[in-house]
């Protein structure tokens, strides 16, 4: 199932595109990023600089962890030890949160403008950032390799995901043409900057990898839709599911089958 971080709620989407818009109600805050642990718990980094925890049955713990004021969380990732890492766009630090909800909000300093974060199986953390557009690599000990991968001029990464083969797929916007594309970065650093191209109104495109089905899900905040892209050849199914009313999708995760 696909879970979507929406305005004031987490929504659930089945593999056949069935939508439960208010699967878990978050209250007055908006979900900015989601991730899940091995037990199926869902964590939501919220616009009010808190992290909520939701059990598989939908039971919500608000304010499970607290981020620094003004953090503006953009993305979140989990490592094999159960630690959460939060990419904050408006402060200079990556936050690290233990499985008990204890936050270290100055774990690694990369400068403002973080847009996305990933964790590798060996514990390394990858962060996309702006000014300049790049991907930084951080070891589990917090040692930073700035500009681990350089992004072509004019492209800004909005979100990233790993597949089972270690490729990075990223949603990007071209600052010159205003065209949104999916970029593929191979483990050796080779970049295909035009793996798939989206048309129409787009905004804050989050990307989710579903290795089992061989697809990427793209969350389009402006259109209130989710699109699908084949991980094999980049074939695009735009507006696969849509949300109505006040719901505005901002993030998402895959849980279970």
């Amino acid at each position: 199932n696909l879970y979507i971080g929406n305005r004031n709620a987490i929504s659930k989407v089945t593999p056949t595109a069935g939508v439960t818009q208010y699967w878990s109600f978050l209250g007055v805050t908006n979900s900015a990023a989601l991730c899940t642990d091995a037990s199926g718990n869902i964590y939501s980094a919220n616009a009010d600089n808190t992290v909520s925890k939701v059990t598989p049955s939908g039971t919500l713990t608000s304010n499970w962890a607290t981020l620094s004021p003004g953090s503006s969380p953009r993305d979140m990732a989990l490592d094999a030890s159960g630690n959460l890492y939060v990419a904050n766009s408006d402060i200079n630090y990556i936050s690290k949160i233990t499985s008990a909800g204890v936050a270290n909000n100055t774990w690694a300093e990369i400068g403002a403008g973080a847009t996305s974060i990933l964790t590798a199986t060996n514990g390394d953390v990858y962060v996309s950032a702006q000014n300049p557009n790049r991907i930084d690599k951080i070891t589990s000990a917090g040692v930073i390799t700035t500009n681990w991968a350089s992004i072509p001029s004019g492209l800004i990464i909005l979100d990233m995901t790993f597949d089972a083969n270690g490729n990075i797929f990223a949603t990007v916007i071209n600052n010159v043409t205003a065209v949104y594309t999916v970029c593929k970065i191979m483990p050796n650093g080779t970049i295909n900057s035009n793996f798939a191209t989206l048309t129409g109104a787009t905004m804050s495109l989050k990307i989710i990898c579903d290795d089992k089905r061989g697809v990427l899900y793209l969350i389009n905040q402006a259109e209130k839709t989710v699109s699908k892209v084949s991980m094999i050849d980049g074939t695009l199914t735009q507006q696969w599911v849509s949300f109505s009313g006040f719901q505005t999708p901002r993030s998402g995760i895959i849980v279970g089958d």
Side-chain angles (χ1 to χ4, degrees):
N1 295 305
L2 175 65
Y3 291 83
I4 303 294
N6 254 313
R7 180 179 180 181
N8 301 340
I10 297 173
S11 302
K12 180 179 178 179
V13 183
T14 68
T16 56
V19 179
T20 303
Q21 292 204 150
Y22 290 93
W23 177 76
S24 181
F25 185 62
L26 294 175
V28 297
T29 191
N30 297 327
S31 176
L34 296 179
C35 69
T36 185
D37 63 18
S39 299
N41 297 301
I42 294 174
Y43 301 86
S44 173
N46 304 315
D48 63 356
N49 300 315
T50 64
V51 177
S52 301
K53 180 179 179 179
V54 188
T55 67
S57 63
T59 302
L60 172 69
T61 301
S62 300
N63 300 322
W64 176 77
T66 303
L67 304 173
S68 295
S71 292
S72 296
R74 285 286 300 273
D75 199 17
M76 188 164 49
L78 188 83
D79 69 12
S81 299
N83 299 300
L84 288 172
Y85 298 85
V86 182
N88 302 300
S89 63
D90 288 351
I91 62 173
N92 294 333
Y93 295 96
I94 301 299
S95 298
K96 180 179 180 179
I97 306 172
T98 69
S99 58
V102 178
N104 177 355
N105 289 315
T106 58
W107 176 69
E109 184 175 8
I110 68 161
T115 60
S116 182
I117 192 165
L118 297 173
T119 53
T121 54
N122 66 353
D124 289 338
V125 177
Y126 296 83
V127 182
S128 63
Q130 302 178 32
N131 302 319
N133 304 317
R134 67 193 193 279
I135 299 174
D136 292 344
K137 179 180 176 181
I138 311 172
T139 68
S140 58
V143 178
I144 303 171
T145 300
T146 302
N147 206 30
W148 172 79
S150 297
I151 306 304
S153 178
L155 299 182
I156 296 176
I157 291 180
L158 303 175
D159 196 24
M160 303 186 296
T161 188
F162 273 126
D163 71 5
N165 298 316
N167 298 302
I168 294 176
F169 290 90
T171 49
V172 301
I173 179 174
N174 187 311
N175 255 359
V176 178
T177 63
V179 172
Y180 290 77
T181 61
V182 176
C183 172
K184 182 178 180 180
I185 306 169
M186 272 67 86
N188 64 3
T190 302
I191 298 176
N192 178 350
S193 59
N194 194 26
F195 181 72
T197 301
L198 285 88
T199 60
T202 50
M203 177 181 175
S204 188
L205 282 171
K206 287 287 186 177
I207 187 168
I208 306 150
C209 178
D210 187 348
D211 275 302
K212 182 176 181 179
R213 294 175 177 83
V215 298
L216 303 165
Y217 297 100
L218 308 180
I219 299 172
N220 190 323
Q221 183 176 337
E223 291 182 345
K224 300 184 179 181
T225 64
V226 178
S227 300
K228 291 200 302 184
V229 177
S230 166
M231 293 166 58
I232 298 173
D233 59 10
T235 299
L236 172 68
T237 304
Q238 203 151 337
Q239 299 179 355
W240 176 64
V241 295
S242 301
F243 295 89
S244 60
F246 291 105
Q247 292 305 305
T248 305
R250 292 173 168 84
S251 59
I253 50 171
I254 299 289
V255 179
D257 294 332

